[in-house]
Each structure stands twice: as structure tokens, then as C-alpha cells.
Amino acid sequence: MRCVAVLLFLGTALGCTGVIGDADDPVALEPGREGAPVLCEGERPVGIRMLRRLTVPELQTTLRTIFSMPDLALDLPLDPVNEAGLHTDEALLVVRPRFAAGVHAAALEIGASVASRRDEFSSCAEGESCAMRFVEEWGLRLYRRPLTRAERERYADLYAAMNDAGEPFETFVQWATVALVDSPHTLYRSELGEETRGRYALTDYELATSLAYSFTGGPPSDALLMDAARGRMSDPRAIAESLAWDESGAPTSAYRAVVHRFAEQWLRLPAIGSVGKDDPAFTAEVRAAMREETSRYLDAVLFEERGTFADLLLSRETFLNGTLARFYGFGDESATEFQRTVRPAGAGVGLLAQGSLLAVRATNAHSSPTRRGLLVRRDLLCQPVPPAPVGVDVFPETDAETTRERHQVLVDEDFCAGCHRLMEPIGFAFEGFDATGRQRIDDNGHPIDASGVIHLARSEIAFDGPEALASTVAELDRAQECMTSLLGAYAVGLDPERAACLFETHAELPVAERLVEVAGSAHFRERVLE
């Protein structure tokens, strides 16, 4: 059981050499799987024990749900993101002063609310036994496990001190609630486990917590906590299935939201709301419609059609209202609602033809083969490219008249080629789309050349146009493995490189079902010390 390092780049002053793999590299390539590194050998490994801070959406959902405060808003800094764009990386989720201050402010608001609604949260009148019943009941929901004896004793001491001081019972309820919300046991998910045969098996309560947050985005329900108490967590995969799909086989609203949140982070969709263009037709209304188009597209492919990764890349349909139909130049321009629309020839296919993705991966005035190539290289193949060195002029002097010609200089220039040959030859596929993601037939009066090549470790794959690129990527084992590592990383709180060898690829399964398969992995059930 051993993970083989995926050496994508050999460091130089530029951060790139232009080599992905080499005959002398320790990177092994399986025969017949060009460009797909062997990420693991033998049995699938498990990761280390850890504590995971709740993300801001997870914490907000937790507090809103437990305390029946649907309008509660937390004043917290945004969660940091890793290189893959994911917000769930446990290595980055720490409690800093501003975060702690925001949580405490929320705790004070919640404590006051609970005290004013005491009858909703306490079935008894007052007294020490009533106080401890309150703490144990709501502590179980917040800590996602029963309180320990030491924890109960501390709250008993708090009650005794406040009772001796003549404080009313409501005051104890208020400050006990503040203490519970502020607790690290509320803010962090425990994945430490209990030692057994040299490994650490997650407890039933830890499994219930992981399943709830991974597949509903919120805390475990009372029913799930009861199952944990009764030792009914032996099949996490089956429980994940029940959380993701209802009895009719439709996705639950909570699971649908989890998958959409993953897709928004993976594809960096929120950026479309603030991207600017020189084109006056690229209005706020168009930007909002583009985001909605992509959201509906993802929902249709991932849930209505139970689509695979290949389906996500190759579907010829999208969703347009009149605003987008007029902007793109195809579809029903009179439509007041979004409609399923077939793309015409030349308008691309699937995910890589979405205006939201193309507009974000461009400059204000020009298409960008660099950014669009990076989209494929980094987000679909999980091969990040280092940023340009500080102080380097992005474009050497050139008399080029088209975007492609300007960027070809970067590919040909020795100083730049190490990195740019990994991006531009892929990004050229999108030259039929302008800076706003709208189809075009020429660039500065010159015909569009959308041919390109994907440079792999030991080969090159040529293509011509965005449809051919999408078909090529859909067939790459490396892309399938990337999709799995991203789904797994999102669910278990790791970066994709650390998650890459933990999960089976399951390329034949629909994407939404591949995420559920994560719960069947050894890593979801147990950990090692280091």
C-alpha cells in the first residue's frame, strides 16, 4: 500500500519545464493509459485522523436547523479555498480571531433567543435535573454525540453557581446555550476514531456526523443520532444512499444543494457575477442569466438524466431564456422563462460551452487561450500550472493580429514555453468564442483556427474545435480520475492530491452516484495515526 507521487512539473526558476513525466521519472504510467499516473498500488489506503472545522455554510445550516432560526445570519469571513477551488479543505479551515468573534456574536444572539423561547427548548420547569436535561439534549445535537461526564459536571457547576447567585433559570439557559455554541466540539467535526488493530475506526457518532454533512450539508438528524446510539452505522454507503435519494429515487433537496455547491466551487461559478467586459451588451442581466443557465444545465444532466462525467461534457443541450437567446444568437428570443435548447453547429457542446465558464476565463476585451486552457488542465485533469513569475511581461513584443497568434508566441518562446505549452494548445479550441463567451466567426477579420493539442506525458492528442476537445477529455482516464479525486476531496475535506488514491474511479457511474460511492471507501470508516 503505497501512493506514488504525481510529479507534474520539475521545478526551475520559472516553476515549469514543460515536462509532464519522463522516462527517468518515478512516475509510473500504466500501459494503454496514456497520461494517467498510477496513483496507488495495492489496497486503497486511508488518511490520517483529524478534526475538521465546519465550513461557514455548514455552521450556519447547523445553527439555523437546531435552533429553528431560519433567518440567522453569521458575520464570518469567507472560507479559504484550495488550489482546486474547494472550500472544504481541512488544512485551511482554522478558527482565527475574526471567525471566533463572529461565532461568539451569533452565540449571544442564539442564547438570548433560546432564553426568550424557553418553553420550546425545555419540557421541564427548572431545577438542577431540568438544567442537565436541557444541556444533554441540546449538547447532543450540537456536539453530534452525548456529552462526557466531565462536560456534564462543568455545566452542573455553572448551574449551581448561577443558582447560588439567585439568577433565574432563563439566565442559565441563555449562557449554557452560548457556551454550547461557542464550544470547539460544535465548531469541529471529530474524525479521530477509536483504536482497533492498529487503525482508528470512526465511532458511530463520527460516522453519523460525516454522513450528514457530506450528503445533506447540515447536522445529523435526531433519527440519525438515534441510529448512531443504537449502533446502526455498519453500512455507511447504504446510509449515504438514503440521505441522497428519496423513496421515489429522486434526489433530496439537501443532497441536490450539496452537489450544486460542489460544482459551483469546482467551476468557480460565483465569479461570473462580478466579471467585467468592454462589450456593453454583457450586462448584469446577462451575467445572472448565464449563471442560471449553468445551474439548470448541471441540474438536468446530474439529476434529471443521472448523467456521467462524459454526459456532462458532451450534451448538446443547454437552457436559455430570451435574454440569453438574444445575446448568444440562437434559441427563442421571446422566451420569458428558461427553456431546454439544442445548441446549433459550431456553438460547442456540454460544460465547456457554457458562457459562464468561458466569460470568466477571458480578459475584458479578448478571449484567453491561457485561462481557458488552464480550465481544462487544472479543473478537468487535476494538473495545476504554477502562476507566472513576478515581474514577467506576459506578452513578448509581437505583430500578431489575432489572439491565437499572440498566444502562440508564448508557446514558442523558450522562457515561457515550459508552462504555456500546457495551456494554450488546449485553449485554442475555444477561439470560436469571444471574451463574453459568445460565438464568433472571425478574429479581427481573420478566420478562426480552433485546432490544438493536449500534451501528455508520453504522447500528444490533436483535436480540431471545442467539440473534439470535449470528446477527447471525456475519454481520458486522467480526467475520470480527476473527477473522482475532486468529489472525494470535497466530501472528506482533503485537497485532491491527497484524496486521489483513496477512492475507486467508478467512471461508468453517474456523477451524483459517484459522490455517494465515497461513503463506501475504507477512508470513510477508518484512519491511521500518521
Side-chain angles (χ1 to χ4, degrees), residues 423-443:
M423 299 177 287
E424 266 78 357
I426 298 175
F428 289 148
F430 305 103
E431 281 304 279
F433 299 94
D434 67 13
T436 68
R438 183 169 44 192
Q439 190 178 0
R440 63 182 180 179
I441 60 173
D442 66 75
D443 181 8

Side-chain angles (χ1 to χ4, degrees), residues 53-60 76-82 85-89 92-94 99 261 265:
R53 198 208 81 196
L54 298 184
T55 65
V56 171
E58 287 171 345
L59 179 59
Q60 183 156 274
L76 299 175
L78 296 176
D79 292 321
V81 301
N82 61 19
L86 303 182
H87 297 231
T88 57
D89 191 336
L92 303 178
L93 293 173
V94 297
F99 186 95
R261 187 173 291 129
Q265 293 176 21

Side-chain angles (χ1 to χ4, degrees), residues 314-451:
L314 300 176
S315 174
R316 300 205 66 89
E317 296 182 328
T318 192
F319 291 81
L320 307 182
N321 62 1
T323 296
L324 278 185
R326 290 188 293 273
F327 184 78
Y328 288 146
F330 67 90
D332 184 357
E333 297 185 3
S334 65
T336 57
E337 302 293 334
F338 280 84
Q339 300 178 354
R340 190 182 292 264
T341 306
V342 177
R343 291 182 178 277
V349 293
L351 188 65
L352 294 177
Q354 289 288 308
S356 59
L357 273 66
L358 294 171
V360 168
R361 277 81 173 185
T363 69
N364 285 10
H366 301 286
S367 64
S368 174
T370 303
R371 297 180 188 181
R372 291 172 178 176
L374 181 62
L375 162 65
V376 175
R377 181 69 70 179
R378 178 190 63 195
D379 299 333
L380 299 185
L381 300 179
C382 289
Q383 296 175 331
V385 178
V390 177
V392 172
D393 187 354
V394 176
F395 285 104
E397 278 193 35
T398 174
D399 295 327
E401 296 184 4
T402 68
T403 301
R404 182 180 180 115
E405 290 173 343
R406 293 178 70 221
H407 281 261
Q408 186 63 47
V409 173
L410 297 175
V411 179
D412 296 337
E413 174 70 45
D414 288 344
F415 188 70
C416 306
C419 288
H420 283 274
R421 70 188 294 270
L422 305 176
M423 299 177 287
E424 266 78 357
I426 298 175
F428 289 148
F430 305 103
E431 281 304 279
F433 299 94
D434 67 13
T436 68
R438 183 169 44 192
Q439 190 178 0
R440 63 182 180 179
I441 60 173
D442 66 75
D443 181 8
N444 197 27
H446 296 271
I448 295 296
D449 179 359
S451 62

Side-chain angles (χ1 to χ4, degrees), residues 100-442:
V103 170
H104 185 60
L108 294 174
E109 180 181 350
I110 293 168
S113 176
V114 170
S116 69
R117 299 181 292 150
R118 199 197 84 177
D119 290 346
E120 297 179 32
F121 294 90
S122 177
S123 58
C124 51
E126 54 185 61
E128 183 177 0
S129 61
C130 185
M132 296 315 299
R133 187 186 308 176
F134 172 85
V135 168
E136 290 171 359
E137 180 179 351
W138 297 100
L140 171 64
R141 292 186 171 107
L142 287 165
Y143 289 6
R144 283 89 58 183
R145 60 161 177 79
L147 272 65
T148 65
R149 175 182 295 181
E151 288 165 344
R152 292 194 300 271
E153 288 176 351
R154 284 198 292 273
Y155 281 98
D157 290 343
L158 173 65
Y159 172 77
M162 297 186 75
N163 186 56
D164 290 346
E167 297 287 352
F169 190 75
E170 288 78 8
T171 302
F172 168 78
V173 167
Q174 177 178 354
W175 290 104
T177 301
V178 171
L180 287 168
V181 173
D182 268 337
S183 172
H185 300 291
T186 295
L187 302 183
Y188 282 87
R189 297 162 53 175
S190 171
E191 296 177 9
L192 299 176
E194 295 177 345
E195 187 174 10
T196 172
R197 297 187 301 276
R199 290 197 176 187
Y200 293 81
L202 297 191
T203 68
D204 285 334
Y205 285 107
E206 288 174 327
L207 284 171
T209 296
S210 291
L211 287 162
Y213 284 111
S214 295
F215 300 103
T216 74
S221 64
D222 288 348
L224 194 55
L225 289 172
M226 183 64 71
D227 284 343
R230 294 173 177 173
R232 297 176 178 172
M233 307 303 293
S234 61
D235 190 350
R237 168 65 180 75
I239 298 171
E241 183 84 13
S242 70
L243 294 174
W245 314 103
D246 64 23
E247 293 180 355
S248 70
T252 63
S253 59
Y255 182 58
R256 190 188 295 261
V258 165
V259 175
H260 273 278
R261 187 173 291 129
F262 159 75
E264 288 210 339
Q265 293 176 21
W266 166 44
L267 301 172
R268 305 164 208 262
L269 293 179
I272 188 63
S274 58
V275 68
K277 302 293 177 183
D278 292 349
D279 188 339
F282 191 73
T283 62
E285 184 180 14
V286 167
R287 294 196 299 271
M290 281 183 169
R291 183 165 182 178
E292 182 67 17
E293 172 195 11
T294 302
S295 178
R296 288 173 180 261
Y297 176 78
L298 292 168
D299 204 62
V301 175
L302 298 181
F303 293 116
E304 292 177 26
E305 302 163 15
R306 294 287 181 93
T308 63
F309 176 67
D311 295 327
L312 196 61
L313 291 181
L314 300 176
S315 174
R316 300 205 66 89
E317 296 182 328
T318 192
F319 291 81
L320 307 182
N321 62 1
T323 296
L324 278 185
R326 290 188 293 273
F327 184 78
Y328 288 146
F330 67 90
D332 184 357
E333 297 185 3
S334 65
T336 57
E337 302 293 334
F338 280 84
Q339 300 178 354
R340 190 182 292 264
T341 306
V342 177
R343 291 182 178 277
V349 293
L351 188 65
L352 294 177
Q354 289 288 308
S356 59
L357 273 66
L358 294 171
V360 168
R361 277 81 173 185
T363 69
N364 285 10
H366 301 286
S367 64
S368 174
T370 303
R371 297 180 188 181
R372 291 172 178 176
L374 181 62
L375 162 65
V376 175
R377 181 69 70 179
R378 178 190 63 195
D379 299 333
L380 299 185
L381 300 179
C382 289
Q383 296 175 331
V385 178
V390 177
V392 172
D393 187 354
V394 176
F395 285 104
E397 278 193 35
T398 174
D399 295 327
E401 296 184 4
T402 68
T403 301
R404 182 180 180 115
E405 290 173 343
R406 293 178 70 221
H407 281 261
Q408 186 63 47
V409 173
L410 297 175
V411 179
D412 296 337
E413 174 70 45
D414 288 344
F415 188 70
C416 306
C419 288
H420 283 274
R421 70 188 294 270
L422 305 176
M423 299 177 287
E424 266 78 357
I426 298 175
F428 289 148
F430 305 103
E431 281 304 279
F433 299 94
D434 67 13
T436 68
R438 183 169 44 192
Q439 190 178 0
R440 63 182 180 179
I441 60 173
D442 66 75

